[in-house]
Amino acid sequence: MRIGGPVTSVFDLCRFLKKHDVDITVCTTNVYLEDKISCNTFTEIEGIKIHYFGYSRYFEFLGETGWQYSKQLKRKLKSDYSNFDIIYIIGIWNFPSTFAIRFLSKKKAPIIIAPHGSLDPFKFSQKGYKKKLYYALFLKHYIQRSFIHYFTSSEANKSSEFLRIPSDKVVIIPNGIDIKDHYKDPSSQKLFELYPNLKNKFLILYLGRLHPIKGIEIIIKSLKYLEHKSDKIHVVIAGTGESDYEEKLKYLAESISSKNIVTFTGLVEGELKSSLLSVCNLFVLLSYSEAFSMSVLEALAYNKPVIIGRKCNFDEIENEYCGFVIQNDPQRLAEKIEVLYNDSNLCVKMGESARSLVTNKYNWEKIALEFKEKLEEIVADNNTLQN
C-alpha cells in the first residue's frame, strides 16, 4: 500500500504476458524492500526474472525515496539493453526511469513509457517549478518522441494535449484484474473479530495509499452531513502513508464525530483485504489525480457500487451504471451515500453491473493479449525504421 497500485498492476501484467509466451526480465531498485531483499540480487517469480539493485537517496523533493540513483542498474541497462526486443519503462520522476528514457532513446531502442499518472497536468502543479524544470531539462525532448501507455482515453487526452505528445505515440490499453482471484464471499469471521464495531453496519470503504492526493479528507468530512445515520453507517480507511498525515486524518475523524464511526485498519492484505471488499456496501475514491485505480477495479470485481471523483478518469462507472461520478465535495458525497443507503436494490443492480464491466472489459486474460499485439507492432515498426 505504501507504493500504491502500480507495482501490483505491473506484476499482474507481467504474469499474464508470460502466459502468452512473452519472456520478461524486470530491473528495479529494492525500494521499500531494503530489509527483505539484499542489493544486487536476482530471483525468479512465476517465470519472471527480477533483478533488484541498491540505490541512493538524492533530490528527496521528488518523493520520500528520493531520486533512487543506482549505479548498478545503470550498468546493467547499458550492457544488456540490446538483448531485448522492447523496454517498458515505469514512471518518470526517478533515476532508473529518467536514465532509461534518455539512454534508450539515443540508442533508438524501442521503448514504451507507462507514466502511471506522472504526466497528468495536476501532478505538474505538485512541487511546482521543480518538476517543470526537471521535465524541461531531462525528459521533454525524449518523451514527446516516445510511445506513452495510458490506461484511459480521458487520461491520455489531458496529458498528451498538455505536453503536446503526438497522437500516433499514444497507446491506450487499460489495466486489468485477475477475475479468478476475486471471489465474492471469503470468511468475514476474522475481520469482525478484529473490528467488532463493523458488524451490522452500512460500510463505506476506502482502500489504498494514505496521501493528500487521494481526497480522503472529503470522505471523512461527508460524515457531518450524515449525523442522523451515525449509528448505522461506518467508514473504513484501509492503507498506510506518512505517519504525520495519518495522524492528521485521525484527528479530523475525531473532530467530525465523537461516535467512533471511522476505523483506520492500517495495511490490509490477503484474506483480510478480501473480507473488507466482500462485506463493504460501497467503495469511495475521490482522488484529485488518478491514472487508473486498481482499488476501484477490485471493488467492481467484488460486485460493489462505487462513488468516485471526476479526476479518477473512470467515466464508465456512470456510463455502465456501476455507481456515481461526482465533484470532490463532502455534501455531494453524503447525498450519494444516502441514496445507496436507502435503496438496497440499487446497490445490488449497480454491483451486478460492476462485475459485468470488469469481466467483459478489464479481464487480464483479454488485455494481456491485446497488449502483446501492440508490443509486437511497435517492435516491427522500429525494425522497419532501422532497416
Side-chain angles (χ1 to χ4, degrees), residues 71-83:
K71 184 177 181 179
Q72 294 83 6
L73 192 154
K74 177 181 177 181
R75 186 183 298 129
K76 173 73 174 177
L77 186 60
K78 290 179 74 172
S79 64
D80 288 7
Y81 80 92
S82 60
N83 295 331

Side-chain angles (χ1 to χ4, degrees), residues 2 41 43 51 72 103 115 253 273 292 311 322 353 379 384:
R2 291 192 71 192
T41 58
T43 188
H51 296 263
Q72 294 83 6
F103 173 76
K273 176 182 173 181
F292 190 94
K311 302 293 185 181
C322 304
S353 298
V379 171
T384 300

Side-chain angles (χ1 to χ4, degrees), residues 1-3 7 11 26-41 43 45 50-55 57 64-65 68 267 269:
M1 288 296 177
R2 291 192 71 192
I3 316 175
V7 171
F11 179 67
V26 176
C27 292
T28 182
T29 62
N30 63 339
V31 60
Y32 292 125
L33 298 172
E34 296 93 336
D35 298 330
K36 299 178 182 178
I37 296 174
S38 302
C39 297
N40 310 319
T41 58
T43 188
I45 302 174
I50 305 176
H51 296 263
Y52 291 99
F53 298 93
Y55 70 99
R57 282 182 169 88
E64 63 178 302
T65 60
Q68 296 180 41
L267 178 67
E269 296 178 301

Side-chain angles (χ1 to χ4, degrees), residues 89-308:
I89 302 170
I90 312 298
I92 63 171
W93 299 122
N94 55 43
F95 170 79
S97 300
T98 299
F99 173 74
I101 291 168
R102 289 168 58 87
F103 173 76
L104 294 168
S105 295
K106 291 174 182 176
K107 296 294 183 181
K108 298 184 178 179
I111 65 173
I112 181 168
I113 302 168
H116 283 273
S118 299
L119 297 179
D120 188 287
F122 180 84
K123 292 290 180 71
F124 277 80
S125 68
Q126 307 298 298
K127 304 184 179 71
Y129 74 92
K130 295 177 182 177
K131 278 191 174 181
K132 291 177 182 176
L133 181 62
Y134 184 97
Y135 180 80
L137 289 176
F138 300 115
L139 293 168
K140 181 178 179 180
H141 173 78
Y142 304 100
I143 282 182
Q144 289 180 339
R145 291 163 174 76
S146 302
F147 286 99
I148 309 295
H149 172 207
Y150 295 105
F151 302 112
T152 68
S153 56
S154 54
E155 178 204 10
N157 291 338
K158 284 193 301 181
S159 173
S160 55
E161 182 179 342
F162 175 66
L163 298 172
R164 299 181 181 177
I165 295 169
S167 59
D168 63 340
K169 294 296 184 180
V170 171
V171 177
I172 303 174
I173 298 176
N175 258 330
I177 201 164
D178 188 352
I179 297 296
K180 297 176 200 166
D181 279 355
H182 293 80
Y183 46 92
K184 187 177 178 182
D185 292 312
S187 172
S188 57
Q189 181 178 350
K190 183 179 178 182
L191 176 68
F192 290 134
E193 286 176 357
L194 288 170
Y195 307 103
N197 55 330
L198 305 186
K199 202 165 187 178
N200 300 319
K201 296 291 177 66
F202 185 86
L203 295 179
I204 303 156
L205 175 65
Y206 168 83
L207 173 67
R209 186 166 54 108
L210 304 191
H211 189 280
I213 204 171
K214 298 295 185 178
I216 304 167
E217 289 94 340
I218 299 168
I219 302 173
I220 298 172
K221 289 177 181 178
S222 72
L223 295 173
K224 72 179 180 180
Y225 300 102
L226 296 164
E227 286 182 321
H228 57 294
K229 286 187 168 56
S230 60
D231 59 333
K232 298 173 183 177
I233 66 172
H234 201 96
V235 171
V236 179
I237 297 175
T240 60
E242 291 295 305
S243 57
D244 289 348
Y245 182 62
E246 288 190 41
E247 290 304 314
K248 179 182 175 182
L249 290 175
K250 291 175 182 178
Y251 178 79
L252 177 63
E254 291 171 1
S255 68
I256 292 290
S257 174
S258 60
K259 296 185 178 180
N260 297 320
I261 59 174
V262 180
T263 293
F264 292 83
T265 66
L267 178 67
V268 291
E269 296 178 301
E271 184 180 342
L272 198 59
K273 176 182 173 181
S274 298
S275 295
L276 269 175
L277 284 163
S278 181
V279 303
C280 75
N281 296 92
L282 70 98
F283 179 90
V284 179
L285 176 68
L286 297 174
S287 291
Y288 293 100
S289 175
E290 195 78 36
F292 190 94
S293 171
M294 292 305 296
S295 294
V296 170
L297 212 55
E298 288 175 323
L300 296 174
Y302 274 86
N303 296 56
K304 302 302 174 182
V306 301
I307 302 175
I308 65 170

Side-chain angles (χ1 to χ4, degrees), residues 85-86 110 147 372-387:
D85 295 305
I86 193 166
F147 286 99
K372 178 185 177 183
E373 291 171 354
K374 187 61 184 180
L375 295 180
E376 290 173 340
E377 178 187 322
I378 292 172
V379 171
D381 289 347
N382 187 75
N383 289 340
T384 300
L385 289 173
Q386 297 300 316
N387 296 329

